Amino acid sequence: MSKKDNQQEPNLSLTKIDSNRNPEERQRDGKSGEILYTLKFHKSQKESIEKGKVTEIGSLEDSPPVDLQALNTDTYTHYGIFRMKDRSTTMIVQDKDGITHKALSLGKDTVKIPYEVSIEL
C-alpha cells in the first residue's frame, strides 16, 4: 500500500461523516452505525481519546435534540451523537467553520461547549 493510499483526513467534520454514510445507515438513526471512529477530546488539562460509532447526525436548524435547542444556530450548524465503547453517548456539535466540539447539556436551557474534538477513522 502506498503512502497516498494510507492517508486519512486528519479531522472529519460531521457533514463529511454524514455524506459518507450509506442510505441504509442513515435510516438507522438511533442505532449505532458500523464504522468505529476515534474521538480526541482536546481538554485543557490533557487530551483523551475514545472510540465510538455514529448513532445520529443532523442539522441543528431542522430538528435538534431537545438537549441542544438552546444552541445558537448562527454559530453551530450540525450535531452528532456517538455511542462510545463503554456504551455511553457523547454529543458533538459542528460550528460554521467545520470545527467539532463537545456539547454538554446542563438542563433545558443551558448547553456548554467546553472544548474541541477531533474525529478520525
Side-chain angles (χ1 to χ4, degrees), residues 45-63:
Q45 299 297 326
K46 75 172 204 172
E47 185 177 276
S48 66
I49 299 173
E50 296 182 36
K51 302 233 180 227
K53 296 179 179 182
V54 172
T55 60
E56 185 177 333
I57 292 179
S59 167
L60 285 169
E61 202 170 276
D62 294 341
S63 57

Side-chain angles (χ1 to χ4, degrees), residues 29-54:
D29 272 358
K31 295 184 178 176
S32 298
E34 299 298 318
I35 301 171
L36 191 63
Y37 293 92
T38 300
L39 284 74
K40 293 182 180 177
F41 299 93
H42 303 285
K43 301 174 186 176
S44 59
Q45 299 297 326
K46 75 172 204 172
E47 185 177 276
S48 66
I49 299 173
E50 296 182 36
K51 302 233 180 227
K53 296 179 179 182
V54 172

Side-chain angles (χ1 to χ4, degrees), residues 1 13-14 16 18 20 22 25-27 35-37 43-44 57 59 61 64 70 72 82 91-92 97 107-108:
M1 186 185 305
S13 67
L14 295 174
K16 178 77 172 169
D18 197 39
N20 289 331
N22 64 42
E25 190 173 357
R26 287 183 187 175
Q27 292 296 321
I35 301 171
L36 191 63
Y37 293 92
K43 301 174 186 176
S44 59
I57 292 179
S59 167
E61 202 170 276
N72 182 342
F82 287 79
M91 282 192 290
I92 305 294
D97 297 323
K108 184 179 172 190

